[in-house]
Amino acid sequence: RVEVLGTLCVYVDDFLLQTADGPVRDEFLKALGGIWTLAKEETLSSEHPITFLGIEMEMRANGDVYLHQTTFAQSILAKHGMDRSKAIKCITVGHLPEVPSPPDAKALKDLQGFSGEFNWLATRTRPDLAYYTSVLASACTKHSEWCFDFVNKILRFLVGTASQGILISVRGCLESLVSWSDAGFAGSDTKSQTGLIATWGGSIITWRSSRQTVSTLCTAEAELNAAT
């Protein structure tokens, strides 16, 4: 039997160590410090939140950890002059125009920039943005006017939800791995959108929204592809 003493997350030169206080942690950090010069160590607690790769981590009194990217979301809004805009509570995704309006090089670069910014949120703490980000990324090369209007909607949605994130709970059962999937049937002449989410111990651990690779003939087939 393998005993897990801790987990180390590494991203280039950023380290996040998850282990209990004690000799294992102390000796590991000492050994690590013997190889590299480490920045000041920070320990997550209910009194001291920390930030790792732009993800803000706040521990609740019961041990739950709330992950969000409020600072990054607010910086996006300020960058695009939307921080004082009127917020909207939901985003309505209309049909794509029948007649394409391809972007010029500058417009395409701008739209791809928005897609990248939204994706940094959607793939880390904001499952609710995954669908919108996927739609924007796939449409930006053909429908520039529609996409810029869509970007404005996403930014206004962020105004009212900048502090939204996900909760890692200590109350779930680690024997419980549950997943859900769904799909919106887009018709037989195009491709449907898959949505999926998985939780472990009652906490969200992975999610995705993406276009399917094949065109389906009915809703049941689209949902079967999503589940597969």
Side-chain angles (χ1 to χ4, degrees):
R1 179 181 178 181
V2 177
E3 181 182 2
V4 178
L5 301 177
T7 302
L8 178 67
C9 300
V10 181
Y11 186 87
V12 189
D13 60 350
D14 293 302
F15 296 81
L16 178 66
L17 176 63
Q18 302 173 82
T19 188
D21 285 329
V24 171
R25 168 181 161 154
D26 295 341
E27 290 301 315
F28 181 82
L29 291 175
K30 181 180 178 181
L32 207 60
I35 303 173
W36 293 292
T37 300
L38 303 180
K40 182 181 178 182
E41 176 188 329
E42 290 189 273
T43 302
L44 177 65
S45 68
S46 56
E47 294 80 24
H48 183 75
I50 65 173
T51 300
F52 180 68
L53 302 180
I55 300 175
E56 298 168 67
M57 305 179 181
E58 300 177 358
M59 180 176 286
R60 305 283 172 82
N62 69 343
D64 290 351
V65 178
Y66 185 60
L67 309 178
H68 62 95
Q69 293 168 275
T70 304
T71 300
F72 179 69
Q74 291 175 338
S75 71
I76 293 176
L77 294 171
K79 173 184 175 182
H80 300 296
M82 297 288 290
D83 48 328
R84 297 182 182 276
S85 299
K86 184 178 180 180
I88 58 175
K89 296 182 179 180
C90 63
I91 301 175
T92 302
V93 183
H95 293 290
L96 291 172
E98 293 184 4
V99 180
S101 58
D104 57 26
K106 182 183 181 305
L108 178 59
K109 183 177 180 181
D110 290 341
L111 289 172
Q112 289 174 335
F114 282 115
S115 297
E117 290 172 339
F118 298 151
N119 194 54
W120 189 255
L121 294 168
T123 56
R124 282 156 179 80
T125 64
R126 296 295 299 267
D128 58 323
L129 293 180
Y131 171 64
Y132 308 132
T133 303
S134 175
V135 170
L136 175 63
S138 63
C140 67
T141 59
K142 296 181 180 179
H143 305 283
S144 61
E145 294 179 11
W146 184 92
C147 284
F148 277 114
D149 180 63
F150 192 43
V151 163
N152 185 66
K153 292 180 181 180
I154 297 175
L155 289 171
R156 289 178 61 194
F157 178 67
L158 275 180
V159 171
T161 63
S163 61
Q164 189 162 307
I166 58 177
L167 186 72
I168 306 300
S169 174
V170 298
R171 290 166 289 185
C173 172
L174 295 184
E175 295 181 358
S176 175
L177 179 62
V178 183
S179 63
W180 294 268
S181 65
D182 201 355
F185 178 52
S188 58
D189 57 343
T190 186
K191 296 173 182 177
S192 301
Q193 189 84 9
T194 283
L196 64 87
I197 193 167
T199 66
W200 182 34
S203 299
I204 297 174
I205 59 170
T206 190
W207 59 89
R208 190 179 74 180
S209 179
S210 60
R211 295 187 72 185
Q212 296 187 358
T213 57
V214 296
S215 295
T216 55
L217 300 178
C218 62
T219 301
E221 188 176 355
E223 293 186 353
L224 178 61
N225 279 348
T228 302

